[in-house]
Amino acid sequence: LRLTDVGFGYHEGVPVLRDIDLDIPAGTRVALVGRTGSGKTTLTALLNRTYDVTQGSITLDGHDLRTLKLADLRRAVAAVRQDVAILPGTLRFNLDLEQGRPDAVLWDALRRCQAADLAERLGGLDADLRGALGGLSAGEAQVIALARILVHDPAVVVLDEATANIDTLTEARLQRATEAALEGRTTVVVAHRLSTILGADRIVVLDGGRIIETGTHQSLLDAQGAYASLYRGDDGGAAAAPGSEPD
């Protein structure tokens, strides 16, 4: 993925992102951090064309995203948001989206996300998940969404990690599911967990819609700049999890 001079605003004349230049080599993991309103979630929404850039360009393997068929793009770039959509229907439908994959493929994805026991508790692949989040907690819903990633095998994953109302057991399950789903893929994560930040190949610090720092966890701490301030929790920042709230 390559972002070149990217700018975006929801309303004309009110920019949310400005002058974003960022190269994300295939197979790398980039963590986006910054205070609330810095532009993290907005930036991720451009990567699968939830919105189109209003300035500059984003390319995937050299192709401007705006030239790609939307269905093709979203097969290649899958997004998992905090407000996970559990679709009306069965667990099978939520994992496979009526693509007709064998049960073994779906169970393999669930096992790799350590969610097979969750599926069994719900009643198996044909369990009806209708209703608000299908009766799942926010963390469990995101685990199902991560298993869906394994089923569909996209090249790029955009992830806004869940933080709210997650118990310790679900947190551990979610972390394992995240690692399984992201392994070997190009990944852009709005990072809320310290483990994700530490595991990133590159950390990108946003402020006021601009990139103000990039580097590894240690190099940014050594620089004693904005990231170090976020990490320490200065001025009300989140000490253990920079960027802990959605934009």
Side-chain angles (χ1 to χ4, degrees):
L1 279 167
R2 175 170 292 174
L3 293 80
T4 305
D5 192 32
V6 165
F8 175 78
Y10 295 100
H11 305 287
E12 187 173 353
V14 186
V16 176
L17 297 172
R18 307 169 179 84
D19 309 318
I20 301 292
D21 289 299
L22 182 62
D23 286 334
I24 305 173
T28 60
R29 186 178 303 186
V30 169
L32 304 180
V33 302
R35 299 186 187 282
T36 301
S38 60
K40 306 181 298 296
T41 297
T42 298
L43 178 56
T44 66
L46 302 179
L47 300 181
N48 72 342
R49 292 190 60 202
T50 301
Y51 302 101
D52 278 331
V53 299
T54 51
Q55 172 188 311
S57 65
I58 303 176
T59 59
L60 177 63
D61 291 340
H63 301 283
D64 191 306
L65 299 190
R66 292 166 293 190
T67 69
L68 302 175
K69 291 181 179 179
L70 198 56
D72 293 339
L73 173 63
R74 292 183 179 173
R75 275 192 290 269
V77 181
V80 181
R81 307 292 182 190
Q82 284 202 47
D83 53 344
V84 170
I86 294 297
L87 305 172
T90 63
L91 175 59
R92 180 194 307 278
F93 174 71
N94 273 274
L95 292 171
D96 187 47
L97 303 178
E98 294 189 331
Q99 296 300 302
R101 292 177 178 82
D103 287 7
V105 172
L106 308 186
W107 280 111
D108 179 63
L110 290 164
R111 281 190 292 270
R112 288 167 66 190
C113 284
Q114 300 193 32
D117 61 330
L118 171 61
E120 289 168 353
R121 174 174 65 79
L122 291 170
L125 294 176
D126 293 316
D128 191 345
L129 301 185
R130 297 177 194 277
L133 283 184
L136 303 172
S137 71
E140 289 171 338
Q142 198 167 51
V143 168
I144 296 299
L146 289 164
R148 184 189 300 154
I149 292 292
L150 288 174
V151 170
H152 291 268
D153 196 25
V156 180
V157 176
V158 177
L159 174 64
D160 194 342
E161 291 185 321
T163 56
N165 303 318
I166 296 178
D167 59 69
T168 302
L169 182 61
T170 303
E171 172 78 13
R173 184 197 298 272
L174 189 52
Q175 185 169 330
R176 293 191 296 267
T178 299
E179 289 306 313
L182 302 189
E183 184 178 4
R185 304 180 201 279
T186 306
T187 310
V188 180
V189 185
V190 177
H192 304 293
R193 295 180 183 80
L194 183 58
S195 59
T196 301
I197 297 164
L198 293 175
D201 298 298
R202 187 178 182 190
I203 298 166
V204 175
V205 185
L206 290 163
D207 184 62
R210 290 187 169 93
I211 294 175
I212 58 170
E213 289 183 326
T214 66
T216 64
H217 172 72
Q218 192 58 54
S219 70
L220 291 174
L221 285 183
D222 291 345
Q224 290 297 303
Y227 176 80
S229 178
L230 281 168
Y231 182 75
R232 291 191 304 263
D234 296 349
D235 302 319
S244 60
E245 299 200 24
D247 297 298

